[in-house]
Every structure is written in structure tokens, then in C-alpha cells.
């Protein structure tokens, strides 16, 4: 078995995270498909993938970078936290 791919019949887990940059204040949410694998020695490992493209991406839990300022001072939270704050803020009137 190729250890780089989830075996057929083992669907990827779907997880979402909220992020807040502690440097510039930017907040964002990101979804990931997490694929579980076993290496050639039988040890389990996971890979993270962009759900839209399927491309492998770095783990969001290991040194995430802010897309606005590119610093790594980022807080990781459960899904929906950024959206909840955005909905609670007053809207600007045109």
C-alpha cells in the first residue's frame, strides 16, 4: 500500500478551524480534509488537504502563518469563532 494515500473506503475526515493573528488582529476560518495513513513500518500519520483542490497543505496546528501579515503569532480556535464575532459586530452603513 502506498503510505501517501488514504486507502479506498477510508474517507478523509473534514475539520474546520478559526484563526486569529495576535500581531495584526486578522481573523479567518479554514477547512481541511484530514487523511489517515500508515507508513511502511505500520505507524499511523495524517496529512492535511485543501478540500477544494485536494492539494496537500501544511498542518494548521504546526506554526500557522497569518495571510495578512505573515507572522506566526496565531491563535487557533474551534470552527465558527471568527464568524460569530463578525456577526456580533455592528455593520457599517453606506
Amino acid at each position: 500500500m502506498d503510505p501517501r494515500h488514504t486507502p479506498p473506503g477510508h474517507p478523509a475526515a473534514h475539520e474546520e478551524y478559526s484563526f486569529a493573528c495576535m500581531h495584526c488582529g486578522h481573523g479567518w476560518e479554514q477547512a481541511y480534509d484530514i487523511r489517515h495513513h500508515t507508513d511502511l513500518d505500520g505507524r499511523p500519520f495524517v496529512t492535511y488537504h485543501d478540500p477544494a483542490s485536494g492539494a496537500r497543505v501544511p498542518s494548521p496546528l504546526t506554526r500557522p502563518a497569518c495571510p495578512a501579515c505573515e507572522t506566526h503569532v496565531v491563535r487557533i480556535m474551534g470552527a465558527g469563532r471568527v464568524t460569530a464575532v463578525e456577526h456580533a459586530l455592528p455593520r457599517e452603513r453606506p
Side-chain angles (χ1 to χ4, degrees):
M1 170 179 15
D2 185 345
R4 295 170 295 170
H5 301 298
T6 298
H10 293 81
H14 184 80
E15 291 188 14
E16 298 178 15
Y17 299 96
S18 293
F19 301 89
C21 179
M22 306 311 282
H23 179 76
C24 73
H26 179 67
W28 71 101
E29 299 199 10
Q30 182 72 42
Y32 299 90
D33 284 338
I34 302 170
R35 299 179 187 168
H36 295 263
H37 311 279
T38 303
D39 70 13
L40 297 176
D41 293 323
R43 292 182 298 251
F45 69 98
V46 298
T47 56
Y48 290 80
H49 298 262
D50 179 306
S53 68
R56 187 171 175 178
V57 296
S59 166
L61 307 177
T62 308
R63 205 163 191 252
C66 175
C69 72
E70 299 181 2
T71 64
H72 295 279
V73 186
V74 175
R75 180 171 181 187
I76 304 168
M77 302 169 286
R81 300 292 299 266
V82 171
T83 301
V85 170
E86 288 174 345
H87 289 308
L89 295 173
R91 304 270 183 217
E92 288 186 27
R93 297 178 193 253

